């Protein structure tokens, strides 16, 4: 047989298409074992890349689609929803350094509402994301205090407050500094974990007792 022919061992339909269960070795050395429909990987299957990565989950017409788990070469993994080969919907990403993101995805990026846990510090970001970056209303929860405010492009911005477990709050705002961080180029497949380094400077305005919650939301601190 010519060397470029794919090797296939499995069921076929009356038209000779791969249909049912089978296993295949692709020309690039990847392998697939699972379900086929009319010549396409469709249904449940396991796809192993020759770089050591593998995917186990649902397929639709050769694309990762439905629920599945992807194990990346760096030891990170994503478990959740896929649409048209992209992380899309709801899922959990465990990074190589032990950090985790649990929440919404769109077109392969963290997007929507999600929680990111930094394994080293135990700190937790709970809030909005846009195209992979921390953006929107959020809380950054540390060991004995937390910050509540708004984020833009991964940094806190504008008015917010620090809430301390000892029972007080510090109100203030973040002022943007002029310094620009260089854009980091990430691996094609693997997610970059966000950095905790924030450039903007915090300018405190006042310290108050803990503000009470009402059914309508939060009482502003009395001037």
């Amino acid at each position: 047989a010519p060397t470029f022919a794919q090797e296939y061992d499995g069921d076929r339909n009356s038209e000779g298409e791969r249909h049912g269960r089978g296993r295949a070795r692709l020309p690039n050395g990847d392998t697939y074992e699972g379900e086929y429909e009319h010549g396409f990987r469709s249904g449940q299957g396991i796809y192993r890349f020759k770089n050591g990565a593998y995917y186990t989950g649902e397929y639709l017409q050769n694309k990762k689609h439905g629920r599945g788990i992807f194990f990346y070469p760096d030891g990170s993994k994503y478990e959740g929803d896929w649409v048209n080969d992209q992380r899309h919907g709801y899922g959990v990403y465990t990074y190589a350094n032990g950090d985790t993101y649990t929440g919404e995805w769109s077109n392969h990026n963290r997007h929507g509402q999600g929680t990111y846990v930094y394994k080293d510090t135990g700190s937790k970001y709970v809030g909005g994301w846009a195209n992979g970056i921390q953006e929107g209303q959020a809380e950054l929860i540390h060991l004995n205090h937390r910050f509540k405010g708004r984020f833009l492009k991964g940094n806190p911005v504008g008015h917010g407050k620090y809430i301390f477990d000892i029972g007080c709050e510090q109100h203030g705002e973040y002022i943007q500094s002029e310094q620009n961080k260089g854009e980091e180029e990430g691996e094609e497949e693997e997610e970059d974990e966000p950095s905790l380094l924030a450039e903007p400077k915090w300018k405190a305005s006042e310290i108050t007792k803990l503000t009470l919650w009402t059914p309508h939301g939060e009482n502003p601190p009395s001037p």
Side-chain angles (χ1 to χ4, degrees), residues 99-154:
D99 290 358
T100 59
Y101 171 84
T102 305
E104 296 177 297
W105 295 80
S106 178
N107 299 322
H108 233 40
N109 284 321
R110 300 177 295 245
H111 191 90
Q113 292 294 308
T115 298
Y116 192 102
V117 179
Y118 297 87
K119 180 174 179 284
D120 281 355
T121 60
S123 294
K124 207 156 64 165
Y125 172 97
V126 183
W129 296 78
N131 301 315
I133 295 166
Q134 296 165 339
E135 194 150 307
Q137 291 296 324
E139 275 189 272
L140 193 51
I141 302 163
H142 301 290
L143 201 54
N144 52 10
H145 71 284
R146 55 201 169 102
F147 169 75
K148 192 171 182 172
R150 203 162 66 81
F151 283 72
L152 184 66
K153 298 198 164 91

Side-chain angles (χ1 to χ4, degrees), residues 33-80:
E33 184 169 351
E35 298 175 316
Y36 284 87
E37 282 178 24
H38 299 288
F40 293 105
R41 296 188 292 276
S42 276
Q44 286 287 330
I46 300 177
Y47 189 105
R48 295 180 188 277
F49 298 80
K50 63 172 190 300
N51 66 5
Y54 72 98
Y55 171 82
T56 172
E58 296 178 283
Y59 271 91
L60 183 65
Q61 296 208 315
N62 282 356
K63 301 258 172 73
K64 297 183 283 289
H65 194 95
R67 302 220 18 112
I69 311 176
F70 199 114
F71 296 86
Y72 296 94
D74 69 347
S76 61
K77 74 168 183 180
Y78 170 81
E79 181 169 359

Side-chain angles (χ1 to χ4, degrees), residues 60-61 63-66 82-88 108:
L60 183 65
Q61 296 208 315
K63 301 258 172 73
K64 297 183 283 289
H65 194 95
W82 296 81
V83 174
N84 202 17
D85 256 349
Q86 308 270 299
R87 298 183 292 261
H88 193 97
H108 233 40

Side-chain angles (χ1 to χ4, degrees), residues 175-180 199-201:
I175 314 292
Q176 289 299 122
S177 57
E178 292 307 302
Q179 203 177 339
N180 259 339
E199 298 288 359
K201 298 284 171 279

Side-chain angles (χ1 to χ4, degrees), residues 160-171:
K161 64 182 182 179
Y162 280 89
I163 303 160
F164 296 90
D165 290 2
I166 53 172
C168 65
E169 300 182 349
Q170 186 187 69
H171 298 256

